């Protein structure tokens, strides 16, 4: 007695149905992963904001600039993440630590899950900290930070998703159109941490339109 089995046509139909279902499911899964990574990034940026607040309370100043330290005025390297290390559970402190492109950031709050889990994925507003450039002096102090009439902390950029600029990692975000803000890290936008601790996803159009506000041009 012959055992009835699937015909070739039936098998092809089943395979086609599975392929269609996979095609429908894959974008949904990918979208879920994008949203999950963006949410994780937002959580990390909030912790970075808390670290900034603790640093400012302790030192009555903001962390040193990343790439604009005058020779002999501060230990090298002296990037923002070095200074924030003790407040983020990192093993480094001011004047010590890896370079932005190093893989030492693996597993740390400073490695955005959507950028590169091993490298520095964030940078902060170049117009906040002191700079050795002649025309750039400390513009935003912890006192101004809390003065809503001066800085409008809910609108002012503190830290944001940033792309590689040197050896694979960012340090500071600049005002110009060649800013290292990563506009498309989380699908159609990048996460920004504001001075009041709020984190929001913003697209390129929004960032470009509000650039003057984001970069503290009212306190120059």
């Amino acid at each position: 007695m012959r055992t009835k089995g699937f015909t070739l046509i039936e098998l092809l139909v089943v395979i086609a149905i599975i392929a269609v279902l996979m095609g429908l499911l894959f974008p949904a899964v990918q979208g879920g992963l994008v949203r999950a990574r963006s949410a994780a990034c937002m959580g990390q940026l909030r912790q970075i904001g808390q670290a900034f607040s603790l640093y400012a309370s302790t030192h009555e100043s903001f962390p040193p600039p990343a790439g604009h330290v005058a020779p002999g005025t501060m230990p090298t390297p002296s990037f923002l993440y070095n200074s924030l290390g003790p407040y983020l559970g990192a093993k480094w402190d001011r004047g010590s630590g890896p370079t932005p492109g190093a893989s030492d950031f693996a597993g740390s709050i400073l490695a955005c899950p959507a950028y590169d889990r091993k490298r520095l994925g964030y940078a902060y507003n170049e117009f906040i900290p002191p700079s050795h450039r002649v025309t750039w002096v400390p513009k935003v102090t912890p006192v101004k930070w809390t003065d809503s009439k001066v800085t409008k902390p809910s609108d002012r950029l503190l830290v944001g998703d940033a792309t590689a600029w040197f050896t694979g990692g960012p340090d500071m975000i600049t005002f110009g159109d060649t800013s290292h803000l990563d506009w498309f890290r989380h699908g159609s936008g990048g996460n920004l941490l504001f001075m009041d601790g709020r984190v929001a996803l913003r697209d390129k159009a929004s960032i470009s339109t509000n650039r003057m506000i984001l970069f503290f041009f009212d306190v120059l």
Side-chain angles (χ1 to χ4, degrees):
M1 183 177 179
R2 295 182 61 185
T3 302
K4 185 177 180 180
F6 290 107
T7 65
L8 178 60
I9 294 177
E10 289 173 331
L11 285 172
L12 290 175
V13 170
V14 170
I15 292 172
I17 292 173
I18 292 174
V20 170
L21 292 175
M22 290 285 289
L24 294 173
L25 183 63
F26 184 74
V29 172
Q30 285 293 99
L33 288 174
V34 169
R35 289 190 293 273
R37 288 170 180 164
S38 179
C41 173
M42 285 183 169
Q44 292 180 183
L45 280 171
R46 290 189 184 95
Q47 292 182 66
I48 293 172
Q50 293 172 358
F52 263 96
S53 181
L54 290 170
Y55 183 97
S57 297
T58 302
H59 299 279
E60 297 185 354
S61 68
F62 284 103
H68 303 135
V69 179
T73 61
M74 201 168 286
T76 301
S78 218
F79 296 91
L80 75 98
Y81 54 83
N82 299 131
S83 300
L84 297 182
Y87 308 101
L88 293 173
K91 57 187 177 182
W92 52 77
D93 200 344
R94 289 190 297 175
S96 67
T99 58
S103 60
D104 301 59
F105 298 98
S108 77
I109 293 170
L110 293 161
C112 174
Y115 173 60
D116 187 327
R117 292 179 181 273
K118 295 183 179 180
R119 301 184 187 278
L120 180 65
Y122 306 110
Y124 90 122
N125 188 348
E126 186 173 34
F127 292 90
I128 298 176
S131 173
H132 74 282
R133 298 190 184 188
V134 177
T135 57
W136 293 359
V137 295
K139 301 177 181 64
V140 183
T141 65
V143 174
K144 289 182 178 180
W145 188 357
T146 58
D147 185 351
S148 60
K149 294 180 181 179
V150 177
T151 62
K152 300 177 183 177
S154 62
D155 297 326
R156 307 307 180 184
L157 175 66
L158 179 59
V159 175
D161 289 334
T163 58
W165 72 278
F166 178 69
T167 65
D171 60 353
M172 308 268 301
I173 303 171
T174 63
F175 174 77
D177 288 335
T178 56
S179 166
H180 298 121
L181 273 171
D182 196 344
W183 289 312
F184 305 110
R185 177 171 298 178
H186 300 290
S188 60
N191 284 329
L192 304 182
L193 166 67
F194 296 89
M195 297 286 283
D196 63 349
R198 181 174 60 94
V199 178
L201 183 69
R202 291 288 182 265
D203 60 20
K204 182 175 182 179
S206 173
I207 293 171
S208 299
T209 301
N210 295 286
R211 191 180 296 274
M212 294 290 285
I213 296 174
L214 288 171
F215 284 90
F216 299 96
F217 268 59
D218 60 327
V219 295
L220 287 177

